[in-house]
C-alpha cells in the first residue's frame, strides 16, 4: 500500500540538496565542485577546512557542523548561514538521522542514569518549565529534525501502527500475543511502528525483531525477558535483558519506535531498530498515527491508547489524509465494557466511509486477518 494521496511526502528535490554524512559531503564536492544552496546537517567538518576555504558556499546552510573558525568565517563571507553546534547538550538538536537503541542506551553498563536517554530526560525536566526561549527553541529544532529523518526513513514504506499500554508485563500471555502479532505483520512485509516504549509497544517491536528467525527464537527470547518483567523498579535490569536477547540473536528484523521524553518514566525499548524520540508528545502522537498508512491495531490500554484511537479516528472521519485507513481494536470486553471506546467509534463511523475500515476482535490472533480484510 502506497501512502494515501493527501499524506505529505518528502520533497525529493529538496532531499537531494541535503548532506548528512562526511562521505556524502565529499561526494557532492567531487561531483559538483560547489556547496551552493546545499544544507549540511550535523556533519563534522573539522578536517575539511581546505575544502571549505576554496569551495563556493553561497546560499548554503550549515546546521550544527563542527568546523574551524577560519572555515566558518569563510563560508559566512561567501553567503552561507552557519548554525554552530550547541555545547553541553546530551542530544544533538540538528541530528540528521533517527536514533538507534545502542545510541540511546550507550553507557548502560554504568546504569541507566548514565545513558544519553536518561540525561536528555533530565535536561528536559530541568528546562521545560523555566520559560527559557532558547531551551524551547532547541526542543523544537530537535523534534523537527527527527521528523525530517523519519520521513526520509519511511519513504514508500507500508507502515502499520501497533498501539497499547506500557503496563503489559513480560512473561504474560498478552505480551507473547503482542509479540507474535508484530512478527506476523513484519513477515507480511509491513513496517511495524509503535510508541516505542515498554509493554505492548516493546512486545510488537520484539516480534518484528524476531521475524527473520525460526519460531523457537521468539519463545526463547520471551523466557529470557520474563526474568525482568517490568521497567519498574529497575530500568537498568529491564534494558539489560533486552540487550541480552539482541546479543544472542543479532541482526533481527527492523521496526520503528516513536517514544517521547514527555513520559520520562517510560524508557524506549531496545527492539526497535529505528527510534524517533521527541520532546513534544503531541508532535510524536500525530506523527506516529499519520505515518501508519497501512492501518493501526489498538491493543488493550488506558488513557494514552484511548487518546490514540480518537486521534486516529478524527482524520478518518474527515478524510483529511485521504481515504480512511484500517483500525482494529483488540479485546471485546476491554473496548466494549471496561473502556467502551468501540461504541463511540461505531457511532462516529455511522454513514461515513470509515465504517468499512473499523473492526473489533476478541483475540489478538484475529488482528492480522482483520487488518488484511479491512485493507482489501
Amino acid at each position: 500500500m502506497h501512502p494515501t494521496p493527501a499524506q505529505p511526502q518528502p520533497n525529493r528535490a529538496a532531499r537531494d540538496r541535503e548532506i548528512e554524512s562526511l562521505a556524502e559531503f565529499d561526494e557532492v564536492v567531487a561531483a559538483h565542485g560547489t556547496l551552493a544552496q546545499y544544507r549540511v546537517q550535523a556533519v563534522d567538518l573539522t578536517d575539511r577546512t581546505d575544502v571549505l576555504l576554496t569551495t563556493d558556499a553561497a546560499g548554503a546552510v550549515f546546521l550544527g557542523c563542527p568546523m574551524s573558525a577560519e572555515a566558518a568565517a569563510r563560508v559566512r563571507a561567501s553567503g552561507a548561514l552557519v548554525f554552530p553546534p550547541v555545547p553541553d547538550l546530551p542530544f544533538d538538536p540538528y541530528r540528521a538521522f533517527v536514533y538507534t537503541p545502542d545510541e540511546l542506551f550507550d553507557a548502560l553498563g554504568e546504569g541507566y542514569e548514565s545513558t544519553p536517554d536518561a540525561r536528555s530526560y533530565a535536561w528536559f525536566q530541568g528546562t521545560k518549565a523555566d520559560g527559557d526561549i532558547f531551551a524551547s527553541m532547541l526542543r523544537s529544532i530537535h523534534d523537527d529534525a527527527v521528523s525530517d529523518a523519519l520521513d526520509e526513513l519511511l519513504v514508500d514504506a507500508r507502515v502499520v501502527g501497533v498501539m497499547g499500554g506500557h503496563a503489559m508485563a513480560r512473561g504474560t500471555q498478552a505480551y507473547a500475543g503482542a509479540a507474535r502479532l508484530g512478527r506476523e505483520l513484519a513477515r507480511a512485509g509491513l513496517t511495524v511502528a509503535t510508541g516505542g516504549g515498554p509493554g505492548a509497544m516493546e512486545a510488537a517491536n520484539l516480534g518484528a525483531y524476531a521475524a527473520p528467525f525460526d519460531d523457537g527464537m521468539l519463545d526463547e527470547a520471551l523466557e529470557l525477558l520474563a526474568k525482568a518483567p517490568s521497567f519498574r523498579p529497575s530500568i537498568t535490569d529491564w534494558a539489560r535483558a533486552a540487550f541480552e536477547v539482541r546479543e544472542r540473536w543479532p541482526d533481527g528484523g527492523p521496526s520503528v519506535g516513536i517514544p517521547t521524553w514527555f513520559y520520562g518514566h517510560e524508557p524506549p525499548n531496545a527492539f526497535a531498530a529505528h527510534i524517533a524520540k521527541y520532546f513534544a508528545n503531541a508532535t510524536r502522537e500525530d506523527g506516529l498515527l499519520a505515518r501508519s498508512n497501512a492501518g493501526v491495531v489498538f491493543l488493550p490500554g488506558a488513557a494514552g491508547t484511548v487518546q490514540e484511537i480518537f486521534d486516529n479516528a478524527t482524520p478518518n472521519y474527515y478524510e483529511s489524509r485521504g481515504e480512511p485507513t484500517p483500525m482494529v481494536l483488540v479485546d471485546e470486553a476491554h473496548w466494549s465494557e471496561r473502556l467502551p471506546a468501540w461504541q463511540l467509534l461505531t457511532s462516529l463511523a455511522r454513514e461515513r466511509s470509515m465504517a468499512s475500515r473499523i473492526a473489533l476482535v476478541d483475540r489478538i490472533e484475529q488482528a492480522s486477518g482483520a487488518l488484511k480484510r479491512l485493507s482489501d
Side-chain angles (χ1 to χ4, degrees):
M1 179 185 296
H2 293 289
T4 55
Q7 183 175 348
Q9 292 300 297
N11 185 312
R12 294 181 186 275
R15 300 291 182 223
D16 289 342
R17 308 297 295 183
E18 291 183 5
I19 297 174
E20 297 173 327
S21 69
L22 194 58
E24 196 173 3
F25 178 89
D26 292 339
E27 183 179 312
V28 166
V29 172
H32 305 291
T34 181
L35 293 168
Q37 305 301 324
Y38 277 88
R39 279 74 179 108
V40 190
Q41 189 174 353
V43 179
D44 189 342
L45 299 175
T46 52
D47 291 333
R48 296 296 184 273
T49 298
D50 290 346
V51 174
L52 294 171
L53 292 177
T54 57
T55 304
D56 179 24
V61 180
F62 295 85
L63 298 169
C65 298
M67 64 179 73
S68 70
E70 183 184 13
R74 167 64 177 77
V75 297
R76 283 194 184 99
S78 70
L81 289 175
V82 178
F83 295 81
V86 181
D88 303 322
L89 283 179
F91 63 93
D92 181 357
Y94 302 112
R95 61 178 304 110
F97 305 101
V98 297
Y99 293 95
T100 66
D102 291 320
E103 183 179 3
L104 286 175
F105 284 103
D106 186 43
L108 182 64
E110 301 169 23
Y112 172 71
E113 295 74 15
S114 298
T115 66
D117 186 66
R119 291 188 292 110
S120 295
Y121 174 61
W123 177 89
F124 179 42
Q125 286 294 96
T127 62
K128 68 179 181 180
D130 64 7
D132 183 358
I133 191 171
F134 183 56
S136 63
M137 182 191 74
L138 291 174
R139 293 194 296 270
S140 296
I141 291 172
H142 169 274
D143 286 1
D144 190 64
V146 167
S147 289
D148 181 71
L150 189 58
D151 283 338
E152 293 174 358
L153 176 72
L154 295 178
V155 168
D156 297 330
R158 297 174 63 227
V159 181
V160 59
V162 180
M163 310 298 158
H166 68 259
M168 184 184 287
R170 295 167 173 174
T172 63
Q173 289 186 349
Y175 185 95
R180 294 188 183 103
L181 172 64
R183 183 178 64 183
E184 184 176 0
L185 295 171
R187 286 178 173 175
L190 296 165
T191 297
V192 174
T194 78
M201 298 171 279
E202 180 190 54
N205 288 128
L206 167 65
Y209 187 89
F213 302 99
D214 62 46
D215 291 354
M217 173 269 176
L218 183 55
D219 294 336
E220 291 184 60
L222 290 169
E223 286 186 25
L224 287 172
L225 292 171
K227 297 175 184 177
S230 173
F231 63 98
R232 296 188 177 102
S234 172
I235 295 175
T236 301
D237 292 344
W238 174 84
R240 283 174 177 166
F243 278 97
E244 182 181 348
V245 169
R246 283 166 40 107
E247 288 166 10
R248 183 165 176 180
W249 293 280
D251 303 319
S255 65
V256 177
I258 306 181
T260 174
W261 281 294
F262 183 80
Y263 297 125
H265 61 286
E266 291 186 15
N269 77 74
F271 293 111
H274 311 288
I275 301 177
K277 191 153 191 178
Y278 289 87
F279 288 106
N281 186 50
T283 304
R284 166 253 192 173
E285 289 277 11
D286 184 66
L288 172 55
L289 294 166
R291 291 174 175 88
S292 296
N293 52 40
V296 184
V297 177
F298 297 91
L299 302 178
T305 311
V306 172
Q307 176 183 341
E308 289 162 346
I309 289 173
F310 293 102
D311 280 348
N312 197 54
T314 300
N316 281 348
Y317 180 89
Y318 289 111
E319 299 188 36
S320 56
R321 295 179 185 143
E323 293 183 8
T325 51
M327 300 177 63
V328 179
L329 279 61
V330 177
D331 191 327
E332 290 181 4
H334 186 84
W335 293 120
S336 294
E337 300 170 17
R338 288 188 287 275
L339 295 173
W342 177 247
Q343 288 89 324
L344 181 52
L345 184 61
T346 54
S347 296
L348 278 174
R350 190 175 300 123
E351 298 181 359
R352 313 286 295 196
S353 60
M354 69 180 284
S356 63
R357 295 296 185 96
I358 63 173
L360 173 64
V361 299
D362 193 41
R363 294 180 294 108
I364 199 167
E365 294 81 7
Q366 301 169 306
S368 181
L371 187 70
K372 185 176 186 303
R373 185 174 69 253
L374 296 178
S375 302
D376 291 339

